[in-house]
Amino acid sequence: MKDFDVDLFVIGAGSGGVRAARIAAGHGAKVMVAEEFRVGGTCVIRGCVPKKLYVYASRFADAFEDAAGFGWQLPQMPRFGWRALVDAKEREISRLSGLYRLNLEHAGVAIVATRAVLEDRHSVRLADGRVVSARHILVATGARPVLEPAIPGRELAITSNEVFDLEKFPERMVIVGGGYIAVEFASVFARLGTKVTQVMRAENVLRGFDDDMREGVHDALAKAGVKLLFATLPTRIEKADGGLRVGLSNGEEIACEEVMIATGRKPATAGLGLEKAGVELDPLGAVKVDAYSKTNVDSIYAVGDVTNRVNLTPVAIREGHALADTLFGGKPTAVVHTDIPTAVFATPELGTVGLTEHAARAIFAIVDIYTASFRPLKATLSGRAEKTIMKLVVDGETDRVLGVHILGEAAAEMAQLLAIAVKMGARKADFDATMALHPTAAEELVTLGTRAARYEREVLEAGPGAAVAEP
Ligand SMILES: Cc1cc2nc3c(=O)[nH]c(=O)nc-3n(C[C@H](O)[C@H](O)[C@H](O)COP(=O)(O)OP(=O)(O)OC[C@H]3O[C@@H](n4cnc5c(N)ncnc54)[C@H](O)[C@@H]3O)c2cc1C
């Protein structure tokens, strides 16, 4: 049998690559991983983790305001310092990146800090010209933000890659896009004090999410002071008055300090040598793979965003783990891409798992919908005009819960746990048979559509001091 330098060469030390490398090494494989930027990848360095830290930062604004309703008197509205947040974030992601590196080293993985491209089906070329031969090659290069639409001056805009480390906190910002990244940053910057205008081609935010939740997020953004412009596109960006000026398709011009383009991400396959190695790509440039993450070339595999299946960190991690088990653990493992919980970390946040009402109606003959929309208990004293919305999508024939959608505090945490029930095939009757935990928002989920649920809502909506009597 032919000898190779390594059993597995991983291109990209992000969520998928790191997990695949570490588990493969644990199975006894000789593994090398190349990373051209920072170990940890998008999620750790400029994605989920720093984003969630900034979301936490943004929510203090609401907490300070709400405190008065609970008897707290703040001497003055506290001031926010952008630099302190950026520095604190940098310390945390550096710590995490270091941990990832350490875990790889402890597992015996060789890390090379360089760009790597495919030379052929069994070899990889490093930036210094060195060629490493590998029995298996894993492409885990992720995705990159696109600067679209291709308008004059787009090079003046930033993407999610740059937004975390802005030198100066922007007083005014235009965010282009209606997807979850655009929504999350609009919510964050508006709460931190930026005057945000969010511009999108679509008629509403968050295409692909449940329509009731989209409405709820739209309302919440507007309440936070985000100016939303639908069916509108930027037409040009130019420098003006020491800042930027954005021309819009509706004829408006907006002056701002930053324009963030968040209109999508593209699989990072350009210039990777995939075509040379004979690897098939789809029309969007994503690597085509089977359920075991194998490409059309026997020795080459791909996991994570570069395959454009479901572009989330836990999915990339699961795919990387499964691949290592398949190749070196004697346990061929396919990844199932259904009922994946996900969240939009706006404020309030959106947590969801399973089918939207729209998707369910396209598949199932009878779809039952259970919804609740209520003022959370905390808002009764804070006075905040906030609504929690919950929705169950149920197969009317089998009673199976097909989807759960929640907009409200801790919705992402709820979605993670509800995903277990949905994955297990829970029926609406199982939800109903579960005792409520009072007082919580989540208890609505086990009383939806019953007389008791209506009663609880009436009590909460009536506000503090409402007579509590069985209806
Ligand atoms: C702003 C933002 C917020 C997000 N929030 C969430 C969230 O809340 N929850 C969630 O689940 N997901 C979130 N995501 C998505 C998540 O970050 C990705 O799904 C995940 O990182 C994909 O992992 P990956 O391993 O496929 O790629 P990545 O983590 O992107 O890793 C790819 C790595 O490959 C390296 N690389 C690329 N080409 C080469 C090369 N030729 N040679 C060497 N190295 C190379 C890159 O530098 C990178 O480090 C977010 C993404 C963004 C941008």
Side-chain angles (χ1 to χ4, degrees):
M1 199 194 274
K2 188 174 175 335
D3 265 352
F4 295 97
D5 295 331
V6 294
D7 297 312
L8 177 67
F9 193 104
V10 181
I11 308 179
S15 307
V18 166
R19 177 60 69 95
R22 186 169 65 76
I23 301 300
H27 286 314
K30 189 174 177 197
V31 183
M32 185 178 278
V33 55
E35 171 53 53
E36 67 176 350
F37 184 52
R38 294 176 71 178
V39 171
T42 303
C43 181
V44 171
I45 308 297
R46 45 197 183 185
C48 344
V49 174
K51 175 200 70 191
K52 188 82 185 281
L53 294 174
Y54 284 24
V55 168
Y56 285 129
S58 74
R59 287 181 179 167
F60 283 98
D62 293 357
F64 294 136
E65 273 179 25
D66 292 353
F70 293 87
W72 289 92
Q73 282 182 14
L74 301 180
Q76 60 186 56
M77 189 62 178
R79 284 183 44 206
F80 167 69
W82 171 251
R83 197 65 246 163
L85 175 63
V86 174
D87 291 347
K89 177 273 297 177
E90 185 50 43
R91 282 194 296 280
E92 176 54 13
I93 65 168
S94 295
R95 186 185 73 83
L96 285 175
S97 182
L99 275 181
Y100 271 65
R101 175 177 287 278
L102 217 62
N103 282 342
L104 285 172
E105 286 168 358
H106 281 162
V109 175
I111 307 171
V112 281
T114 177
R115 181 168 171 80
V117 296
L118 288 151
E119 183 71 6
D120 59 40
R121 293 169 172 228
H122 282 291
S123 45
V124 170
R125 180 179 289 277
L126 309 185
D128 62 8
R130 192 153 54 108
V131 173
V132 181
S133 67
R135 185 178 308 281
H136 305 288
I137 297 170
L138 172 59
V139 180
T141 51
R144 299 188 205 286
V146 295
L147 270 184
E148 284 170 11
I151 52 168
R154 64 177 164 159
E155 68 284 352
L156 299 170
I158 56 164
T159 67
S160 63
N161 279 355
E162 294 79 33
V163 72
F164 293 106
D165 295 301
L166 293 176
E167 276 300 315
K168 264 190 77 192
F169 183 71
E171 273 178 39
R172 297 159 303 173
M173 190 173 191
V174 173
I175 298 182
V176 184
Y180 82 95
I181 293 176
V183 162
E184 289 175 339
F185 282 100
S187 173
V188 163
F189 277 96
R191 280 187 168 70
L192 293 179
T194 301
K195 196 167 173 297
V196 178
T197 305
Q198 192 179 351
V199 180
M200 69 205 74
R201 184 173 35 198
E203 297 289 342
N204 200 357
V205 293
L206 298 177
R207 188 162 54 89
F209 285 84
D210 190 88
D211 287 338
D212 289 334
M213 303 295 133
R214 297 172 73 191
E215 271 314 305
V217 171
H218 170 172
D219 287 352
L221 284 172
K223 277 190 188 120
V226 177
K227 180 178 170 189
L228 290 144
L229 296 176
F230 301 112
T232 308
L233 283 173
T235 51
R236 63 174 195 290
I237 306 170
E238 57 203 13
K239 290 189 179 166
D241 308 326
L244 298 172
R245 188 165 49 215
V246 188
L248 300 178
S249 55
N250 64 4
E252 253 186 87
E253 288 196 336
I254 301 180
C256 59
E257 283 74 46
E258 297 289 350
V259 180
M260 176 178 171
I261 296 187
T263 49
R265 295 173 61 79
K266 263 214 170 92
T269 48
L272 213 54
L274 287 160
E275 297 85 348
K276 204 159 97 181
V279 175
E280 276 180 24
L281 305 180
D282 77 6
L284 286 175
V287 180
K288 281 168 109 178
V289 288
D290 66 14
Y292 297 88
S293 298
K294 188 160 86 63
T295 70
N296 60 308
V297 176
D298 275 349
S299 56
I300 303 178
Y301 303 81
V303 296
D305 286 8
V306 77
T307 64
N308 199 23
R309 285 177 279 185
V310 178
N311 299 329
L312 293 169
T313 282
V315 179
I317 290 174
R318 184 65 69 92
E319 289 167 357
H321 199 129
L323 179 68
D325 285 347
T326 300
L327 292 180
F328 305 107
K331 201 170 72 174
T333 309
V335 174
V336 180
H337 292 89
T338 52
D339 296 330
I340 296 170
T342 185
V344 180
F345 290 102
T347 303
E349 66 196 31
L350 166 57
T352 173
V353 58
L355 298 181
T356 63
E357 177 179 351
H358 185 75
R361 290 202 187 283
I363 302 170
F364 295 88
I366 306 169
V367 175
D368 291 337
I369 301 294
Y370 299 85
T371 56
S373 169
F374 57 96
R375 197 173 183 204
L377 183 58
K378 190 171 158 196
T380 58
L381 291 203
S382 70
R384 183 166 293 282
E386 185 177 308
K387 277 218 156 163
T388 294
I389 307 174
M390 295 185 170
K391 181 165 178 177
L392 287 189
V393 180
V394 178
D395 177 358
E397 281 176 326
T398 62
D399 199 36
R400 190 169 160 197
V401 177
L402 304 170
V404 188
H405 310 275
I406 304 165
L407 182 72
E409 193 175 338
E413 306 289 340
M414 288 186 236
Q416 174 66 89
L417 299 180
L418 285 160
I420 302 171
V422 172
K423 193 89 192 159
M424 289 174 74
R427 293 162 306 130
K428 172 71 165 64
D430 297 315
F431 277 56
D432 295 344
T434 304
M435 193 64 81
L437 193 166
H438 187 68
T440 60
E443 68 181 307
E444 285 287 334
L445 289 164
V446 296
T447 50
L448 272 175
T450 65
R451 192 167 163 70
R454 284 199 303 278
Y455 159 67
E456 295 295 349
R457 271 203 304 286
E458 279 155 17
V459 169
L460 287 180
E461 277 173 359
V468 178
E470 271 304 317

